[in-house]
Structures are given as C-alpha cells and as structure tokens.
Amino acid sequence: MALVILLFSLGLLAKPMLVTLPALLLLLDVWPLNRISWTTEKSGSNPFSPSTELELVLEKTLMFVLASADGLMTIAAQRDAASLLSNLPVSVRLANSFHAVFWYLSKTFWPTNLAAFYPHPEDQLPWMLVLSGVVIVIVISIISLISIREMPHRFVGWFWFLISLLPVIGLLQVGGQAYADRYAYVPHVGLFVAIVWEVSGWIGSTKAGQNLSGLIFLTVSLACGALTWIQVGYWHDSRTLWTHAIDVDPDHWFAHFHLADAFLDEKKYEEAIEQIALGLMIRPDVNGGSAHYNWGQCLLALGRLDEAEVHFRESLKHDRDNESALDELGKLLRRQGRNVEADQVLARHAVVLSQIAKRRPDDARIQLNQGLSLARSGRVAESIPYFEKAIQSAPNSAAAYNNLALALSQLDRKNDARKNFERAIELNPNLAVAHFNLADILEADRDIDRARHHFAEALRLKPDDAEAAQRLKNLKVTQ
C-alpha cells in the first residue's frame, strides 16, 4: 500500500504519467512481488500467491478505468495546446518519439546542456538520431525479454521507463516541445532500479564490493550535486535562463523570443529588437503576432513611430484580433494626428476587447482595458463593472482602484472615489496619478493640508507634471 501511495504521489507530480500507473503496478507484480506463476521464486519465499495474468489485470480494472478517464479529461483540457502541432504526420511523431528515448537515456548518464524548453524539430530531425533511438529501443527490449527469468529487474526497469514515457513522448503532441526535463521523473524510477540492481549484481556482496559501491554512490552523488548547483544557477532570472538556452542551441527560436521579453522588461529595447529579429529569422511562421507587437513596443519606446506602425500592422496580419496591437496602433495614429484612421482602428479594438472580456471574465488586464475603453468613449457608468471585475481578479491592482475611483469621480460619487484613490495609493505609494486625483478631490472638499500633501507627492514622483506644480503653488498662495 505504501508503494502504491508513493507511485500515486509521483504521478501527481508528473500528471500525464499518472495514466500509466495500472500498467506500472502490473510490472511490479512481475518483480519484485513475483505474483505471476512463471516468475515465482522456487525457494518458496514469495509471500504472495501466484496468479494468472488475467487475474492480475482484472484486479486493476477500476484503476484502468480511472486512468482512462483521467487521460481523456487531460486530452480535452489540453485541446488548444495539442493543436499547436496537431498537423504533424504520424511518421514525424514516431521519429521524435524514438529520438526522445535516446535523448532521455543520454541525459540520464550525461546530464549537461539542459535547457528550460526544447523546441520540437518537426520534420527536420536527422535520420541518424532517429535510427539510434530505434536501435536502442529494440536492442534493450530484446535483452530485457531474454533475461526476464534470471534478471527480472532489467525487464521491469526498462519497460517501466518506456511505458511511463508513452503519454509524454509525442505520439499525442501537446505543446511545442520535443521533450522536457520534468517528464523524466517517473520514468527514471524504473531506469534507476534496473541500474542499481545491475551494478549490485556485478559488484557482489563481498566487503570489497560494498566499499566499491559506496565509492560509486559518493562519486555519483557529488557529481550530480555539482551539476545541479550549476543548473539551478541558470534559473536565477529570465535573462540568464534564456541566454543559457541559446548557448545550448543557437537556433532556439523560443528562447530568442523569451530573451527579448526579458530585455523588454528591463527597458533594453535595442537588445530586445535584436532577439526578436533572430527569433523571426529562425521561425518566421511561429509567434509572429506577439513578436511583431513586441518589436513595435520597443520602437515606440525609442520614439521611432513610423517603424513601430509597420510592426503593429504586421502583428495584425498574423492576428487581426490582437487586442494589444489594435490599442497601440490606434493610440499611435492619434499621436500622429491621423484621427480618421485612429477612430477606425480603435473602433475595431473596442469590438475585439468586448468579445474577449466576455470570454475571459477573470482576466484582470482584459477587464481593466475594457473599462478604460468604455470610459474613454464617454460610457463611464458602463465602465465601472469592468473595473470592479478587475479588482475581484486582482485585488492588489493599484491601477484598477485608481481607474475605478476616476470613473466614480466623474459620476460625482466623490466619497467612493476618495476611498478608492486612497486604496490605490496604499497598494502603490509611487502611483503619481492617484496622488494627483486624490488631491483634486481633497481640494474640492476644502481639506487643504492633505490636498497639498498629495499634490506635492504627485510632483515628487513626476517632476515634469506642470499641472501638479501649478495646483500646489495655488494652494500655497491661498494658505
């Protein structure tokens, strides 16, 4: 029972492999439980009664049913992710599956050049790598089957490894990865059992053998500890993580895009543009909508408006309903005084945003943007429920509280507005606009000391705010 609980816990850590649990328990019936008559030890030391294969399968019927149901629910839940590479032919999936076995085995014994993500090679996988995988699977499987009576640990360990890999090896492709480090956890249980028993058989039970096994254990543990320390270091921050992934594979388009995101967060726009360009050069057919949008964002921050417009429009060619690209393009056109074009783009943005907001009621960013869109178009009362939904989904969003307060203020609900401005400042004391808006209400309520304080804070946080400076000056004059 303890073993079953342990296996179930491991399955939850790597949920896709959980569907193989009944089959893995059948392997344990072969060895070490020796519950199948033709593998029962002749010494009579086996505490379990020998059973037929049919009896062992029948006793696990409920588990097979539950595992099948779990598998079907997982497939349904990951339908969108599966569609990313759902058009891959069976031959390509099989090729990657055999290569994945070779890859997992090689990384078991030489765990270097690991990365956060391994893009699927699709039909570009060298045939020699595929052949290596095929040969390894066939040869080890034959050896395991031939020696099943004398050395059942080989059979159980190897087929545990293969069976638990089946749901994640790419036969049913989910996501864009070829394989993943995390998928090795459960399969390696079987592989390491086979290795430990095999090495134990070679070394024997003598004093010298025990000393040698201790030395092997210590050496392997130290080596794995050192490699783990190095690998954990790559996860220090996003830039380090994706830079390492590119060092492992220079053609890692996925890593180039994510490294660009890291540079964008750091406001290193030129570096971000370079990474986006490299990613699109490698895979122009993947991620084009968001990649060109990010490129446009970088150019916008650099003040290169004409170039930014080109990339926002290119983003919309890939995804005509890209809400963010429509919003930025509309605002850019407005800045350039091209109001007719801006109105057309922003009208399209409003339609798309409204559709998305209905589909994703728990997405705080979308709800906030929809509220802003309505407020900007003069539909202030209609914007309030969206700001409230944004707060429900993200209760620590200072921006959501600030915009809700601004809408309430425009509807002359000053008391409610003041409370929400105060909450916005409590969540983010550096939100200059909230200080200014709160000071405006306080001044109207003749709470001059507090109004002066918040105008001063707004000016401190945004020294070029001429209006805050003038309002603060006026309050000092009237003091």
Side-chain angles (χ1 to χ4, degrees), residues 320-321 326 342-353 355:
R320 66 185 300 269
D321 292 337
L326 286 166
D343 289 342
Q344 292 174 344
V345 172
L346 292 174
R348 173 65 185 159
H349 171 256
V351 172
V352 170
L353 188 57
Q355 293 171 346

Side-chain angles (χ1 to χ4, degrees), residues 17 37 70 155 176 193-194 241 268 298 328 340 400 437 439 449 456 474:
M17 275 82 87
S37 56
D70 179 81
F155 173 84
V193 164
L241 179 67
K268 296 184 176 180
C298 293
E328 293 295 345
V340 174
N437 291 332
D449 289 338
N474 293 342

Side-chain angles (χ1 to χ4, degrees), residues 61-76:
T61 300
L62 180 59
M63 294 189 68
F64 276 112
V65 171
L66 292 174
S68 300
D70 179 81
L72 292 173
M73 287 188 291
T74 301
I75 292 171

Side-chain angles (χ1 to χ4, degrees), residues 295-313 328-329 331-338:
W295 197 334
Q297 285 281 82
C298 293
L299 292 167
L300 196 62
L302 293 169
R304 294 151 62 178
L305 303 189
D306 291 340
E307 295 175 71
E309 179 186 347
V310 170
H311 286 283
F312 287 139
R313 292 192 183 278
E328 293 295 345
L329 179 59
K331 290 188 291 188
L332 185 153
L333 293 170
R334 186 81 75 199
R335 284 175 62 182
Q336 293 179 323
R338 297 155 64 182

Side-chain angles (χ1 to χ4, degrees), residues 142-161:
I142 290 174
I143 292 173
S144 301
L145 287 166
I146 289 174
S147 58
I148 188 172
R149 289 182 180 275
E150 295 78 15
M151 297 180 177
H153 60 267
R154 292 181 180 175
F155 173 84
V156 173
W158 173 247
F159 282 99
W160 177 299
F161 176 73

